[in-house]
Amino acid sequence: MTERRPRKDALRNRAAVFAAADTLFARCQSPDGVTMADIAAAAGVGKATLFRAFGDRTGLIRALYAARLEPIMDAVTEGPPPLGPAAPPLERVPALLDAVLCLKLDNRHLALALEQSGAGSPYATAHYEAWHTLLRDTLERIPGLADSDFTAHALLAATRADLVEYLTGDKDTPREELREKLAKFTARVLSSRTEPANGG
């Protein structure tokens, strides 16, 4: 009995922290303006609780983003087409990119905070490497497509949070228009592949 209560408290605190952080990042003008103190106050927990649970602000952002990403990754790893592993690559690639874009659109400032957090390159983070590997491996299944590694990087660049923020914020591009533009861009990239030569 005594071992269960801390576990329940921790789960309750985690849910409160995630809900508070979601709200703060959704309402902020800039993700830099959301501090650990702000999140702790909104969640009704002490700052020490946040640091014990997540280590630092970057750890909290990564944990929250991972929670938002989990349903998509479930669909990617074991779901039906077009996201699931059984989908033909020409269908799966645009579906994967659309899923990434929608995640960024639904969590604009959180995704931006994640890309800006910590030291080092954003391309060396675990979440980027996972998406790049998945996309590269899917692209490799398309006959005649050259350099799947670079192509995966180039396609993912179109879903970067800073670009999404610029297009939807500064440029006021509607969500569905941005999704359509990405789909058309992806189709052009995939259609430009070199088809196998006939006879020889």
Side-chain angles (χ1 to χ4, degrees):
M1 295 289 290
T2 56
E3 293 181 358
R4 288 186 179 180
R5 180 164 183 177
R7 198 173 304 161
K8 290 180 180 178
D9 288 347
L11 290 173
R12 184 169 60 248
N13 286 342
R14 189 179 183 88
V17 167
F18 280 2
D22 264 340
T23 300
L24 290 171
F25 278 114
R27 293 177 179 174
C28 70
Q29 294 297 317
S30 167
D32 291 338
V34 179
T35 67
M36 290 287 268
D38 295 332
I39 296 171
V45 301
K47 279 178 64 177
T49 299
L50 290 191
F51 285 104
R52 279 197 304 270
F54 303 103
D56 56 17
R57 181 176 179 272
T58 298
L60 190 156
I61 291 170
R62 287 174 178 164
L64 178 55
Y65 194 79
R68 300 296 165 258
L69 183 59
E70 187 175 354
I72 297 174
M73 295 313 298
D74 287 345
V76 166
T77 56
E78 54 191 35
L83 279 178
L90 285 173
E91 293 180 15
R92 197 180 193 205
V93 168
L96 291 171
L97 290 165
D98 184 64
V100 175
L101 177 61
C102 287
L103 179 68
K104 302 285 182 72
L105 287 167
D106 292 338
N107 302 274
R108 266 172 49 198
H109 288 167
L110 175 62
L112 195 58
L114 178 65
E115 289 183 3
Q116 295 175 348
S117 65
S121 169
Y123 302 104
T125 59
H127 79 278
Y128 181 85
E129 289 182 350
W131 277 114
H132 176 263
T133 299
L134 175 63
L135 193 58
R136 181 200 64 206
D137 291 351
T138 306
L139 288 165
E140 285 178 349
R141 296 171 51 208
I142 300 176
L145 185 71
D147 200 347
S148 60
D149 186 83
F150 177 79
T151 302
H153 283 303
L155 289 171
L156 285 171
T159 70
R160 275 187 55 90
D162 53 359
L163 178 61
V164 171
E165 172 66 12
Y166 172 71
L167 292 175
T168 57
D170 295 355
K171 292 295 187 179
D172 200 27
T173 305
R175 175 192 182 95
E176 293 307 313
E177 181 180 337
L178 190 56
R179 292 179 66 193
E180 182 180 356
K181 286 178 182 292
L182 177 61
K184 288 180 178 178
F185 171 68
T186 304
R188 286 196 298 272
V189 171
L190 297 182
S191 66
S192 68
R193 68 192 188 279
T194 302
E195 298 292 350
N198 292 328

